[in-house]
Amino acid sequence: MLSLDDLRAAVESGSIDTVLLAFTDMQGRLQGKRCAARYFLDEVVPHAAEACNYLLAVDVEMNTVDGYQMSSWERGYGDMVLRPDWCTLRLVPWHESTALVLCDVEWADGSSVLASPRQVLRRQLDRLAERGLVADVGTELEFMLFADTYQAAWRKDYRELEPANQYNVDYSMIGTARVEPVLRRIRNGMAGAGMIVESAKGECNLGQHEIAFRYADALTTCDNHTIYKTGAKEIADQAGMALTFMAKFDEREGNSCHVHISLRSADRDGADGGGVFAGNGRHGFSPLFEQFVAGQLACLRELCFLFAPNINSYKRYAAGSFAPTAVAWGMDNRTCALRVVGHGPSLRVENRVPGGDMNPYLGVAALIAAGLHGIERELSLEPELIGNAYTADWPPRVPATLREAAELFAASTVAAEAFGSEVVEHYANAARVELAAFDAAVTDWERRRGFERL
């Protein structure tokens, strides 16, 4: 991590000549500009920078689409302000002589762009702060690594790609050794960018791996998550390989993003008052923890769209796949949507619904909003599910399609109260855009089944 004085000294010495100015878009991607370092110090530091507001109103292909209030042809596609958050300033070791800073997004009058994912999370963190609470979060993000380059994968239309491992390498030391050169570059690059790396391990699908990082406060974790996703792809590209975080690449196990969350108390000066989840109740839970988990269960279906924002996201939810299908909680039970782990100060809940394609700011904001819903209404926690949640017939089910999840989200009073109607409508429109694009597409599956035989 860098201070502004560190940056000035590095620019003066010539060790940094480029500063990446970035923010996170609706799809969870970094967007922004590469600034000459001296220009950044002379102009961006005192005055901020601008970017077209269409960046928060496009689909994944960067097409301008209809239905957004904040950005349209009728409104002229004007600018919004990128305001650097100096707490995020850091080196980017996988690019030569480069630093990066993340931005909050504002309008010209200084008001927040409410639909900006980072702002959506900030609002929920402010709601926690009003109760004297802080959220700590860890995200466990899986990816699939391929021997093909991104350019080759594009030319092959993403068919017959060569996975970096040819068999299940879950916890395999040999399997991770085979791709250790690129895993090591990613780990060391992220450490050099200010993250605390814990470990790397193989996963179940072919070429599937996970690199774990130490938990942090919610905003820091989401910032790091976004930088890591971008950086891992760039490092793989530099190594002549490609990796994907898409939720379901093939019919085997998908890429998850399990999110661990706990709350602790803090005074107005930020002094840590300790965890608030452990208590003297059943399983060592506090009443607040029971209410928090109960809120997660009560709101999971209607907020699922923020965990699973794409058509492909819902292909993950298959029985026996380690992705959940039942809206239930269990003690260290990986078949449930919510898995409670740890004890005492480490007690936390792991939400297993999000996939690797989740926008972390929106997903964590949904976790907090759901938990606050349970706390504010003092909801009672249902009994834990013991056994196989895939075959249990009583829990509600995780939404099976984007269409179902989007309809639940658009009609959700919890979402409207937590995020505001403007944000709900903005992201509901994003779902409508994706659904319309998918409904109009003719897939390879249809051609293979129907070209000759129908």
Side-chain angles (χ1 to χ4, degrees):
M1 307 300 292
L2 299 173
S3 69
L4 262 177
D5 286 341
D6 293 332
L7 179 62
R8 289 189 177 97
V11 173
E12 188 62 33
S13 70
S15 60
I16 290 179
D17 57 37
T18 302
V19 180
L20 311 182
L21 184 73
F23 76 101
T24 305
D25 69 4
M26 291 194 298
Q27 290 78 19
R29 306 171 297 190
L30 289 185
Q31 305 281 24
K33 304 177 180 181
R34 282 178 149 76
C35 299
R38 292 195 181 277
Y39 167 83
F40 180 86
L41 292 174
D42 292 344
E43 298 296 333
V44 177
V45 170
H47 304 301
E50 296 78 33
C52 180
N53 62 31
Y54 98 125
L55 291 170
L56 285 172
V58 292
D59 66 8
V60 71
E61 300 268 19
M62 299 300 290
N63 295 315
T64 52
V65 290
D66 294 332
Y68 290 108
Q69 180 184 8
M70 63 164 278
S71 181
S72 66
W73 293 113
E74 289 72 24
R75 295 175 64 91
Y77 284 117
D79 277 348
M80 52 192 181
V81 176
L82 305 184
R83 181 76 59 189
D85 180 345
W86 301 117
C87 294
T88 69
L89 183 62
R90 69 192 69 206
L91 289 172
V92 182
W94 56 94
H95 290 304
E96 184 179 358
S97 304
T98 299
L100 174 145
V101 67
L102 296 180
C103 298
D104 287 310
V105 186
E106 304 173 351
W107 296 119
D109 63 4
S111 61
S112 295
V113 176
L114 297 180
S116 168
R118 204 167 190 258
Q119 181 59 34
V120 172
L121 176 57
R122 279 192 180 277
R123 181 174 180 180
Q124 300 313 303
L125 297 178
D126 288 344
R127 292 180 66 205
L128 279 178
E130 291 169 1
R131 290 178 165 269
L133 297 171
V134 173
D136 286 327
V137 170
T139 57
E140 299 175 341
L141 188 55
E142 297 170 350
F143 59 84
M144 291 178 63
L145 181 66
F146 296 92
D148 307 82
T149 66
Y150 281 110
Q151 291 80 4
W154 177 279
R155 289 193 298 269
K156 293 166 73 170
D157 207 18
Y158 304 99
R159 299 186 186 95
E160 299 181 3
L161 303 186
E162 182 182 349
N165 302 95
Q166 285 69 45
Y167 54 87
N168 182 331
V169 296
D170 194 23
Y171 288 96
S172 167
M173 301 304 290
I174 293 175
T176 48
R178 177 166 296 169
V179 292
E180 171 63 2
V182 72
L183 295 179
R184 181 174 180 271
R185 285 185 63 184
I186 295 172
R187 293 197 309 272
N188 290 345
M190 297 309 129
M195 304 175 204
I196 301 176
V197 182
E198 292 187 346
S199 61
K201 66 176 288 290
E203 290 289 345
C204 296
N205 205 337
L206 307 186
Q208 190 176 45
H209 296 268
E210 174 189 295
I211 297 175
F213 299 86
R214 192 177 193 273
Y215 73 89
D217 68 274
L219 187 63
T220 297
T221 288
C222 293
D223 290 341
N224 290 345
H225 178 117
T226 308
I227 294 168
Y228 162 58
K229 282 188 74 172
T230 298
K233 291 177 184 179
E234 293 174 341
I235 291 168
D237 191 36
Q238 292 167 3
M241 304 180 78
L243 60 81
T244 183
F245 294 99
M246 68 182 295
K248 192 80 166 176
F249 176 76
D250 57 20
E251 289 73 21
R252 290 174 59 99
E253 295 83 0
N255 287 322
S256 67
C257 178
H258 303 144
V259 182
H260 294 248
I261 185 168
S262 62
L263 301 182
R264 55 186 167 84
S265 62
D267 62 24
R268 292 184 177 180
D269 296 324
D272 186 359
V276 296
F277 277 177
N280 298 318
R282 55 179 176 168
H283 307 297
F285 296 173
S286 69
L288 186 141
F289 182 58
E290 293 201 5
Q291 294 163 5
F292 187 87
V293 177
Q296 301 293 315
L297 293 170
C299 301
L300 193 148
R301 281 177 47 82
E302 60 196 276
L303 299 184
C304 185
F305 169 62
L306 298 183
F307 305 135
N310 300 299
I311 295 284
N312 179 256
S313 308
Y314 296 84
K315 303 293 179 71
R316 263 186 71 240
Y317 306 129
S321 67
F322 287 100
T325 59
V327 181
W329 77 276
M331 296 292 295
D332 196 14
N333 187 338
R334 284 183 168 88
T335 70
C336 296
L338 302 181
R339 171 179 171 245
V340 173
V341 289
H343 59 275
S346 70
L347 182 65
R348 61 198 185 277
V349 60
E350 174 194 62
N351 191 314
R352 297 178 62 81
V353 174
D357 58 342
M358 176 192 70
N359 184 317
Y361 300 98
L362 300 179
V364 172
L367 292 180
I368 295 171
L372 284 172
H373 174 78
I375 292 169
E376 290 168 353
R377 287 156 180 77
E378 299 183 350
L379 299 183
S380 297
L381 181 61
E382 64 189 42
E384 67 170 311
L385 190 150
I386 299 174
N388 187 352
Y390 291 119
T391 58
D393 58 6
W394 59 264
R397 313 314 284 177
V398 175
T401 65
L402 176 61
R403 195 177 309 277
E404 180 185 2
E407 290 172 353
L408 289 166
F409 177 73
S412 170
T413 57
V414 173
E417 291 171 1
F419 309 127
S421 58
E422 178 180 334
V423 170
V424 171
E425 173 54 27
H426 189 91
Y427 285 95
N429 188 65
R432 291 191 291 268
V433 166
E434 286 301 295
L435 286 164
F438 183 73
D439 289 344
V442 178
T443 67
D444 289 350
W445 183 87
E446 293 167 275
R447 292 190 186 97
R448 280 196 301 269
R449 291 171 74 91
F451 186 89
E452 177 182 348
R453 292 173 287 184
L454 294 182

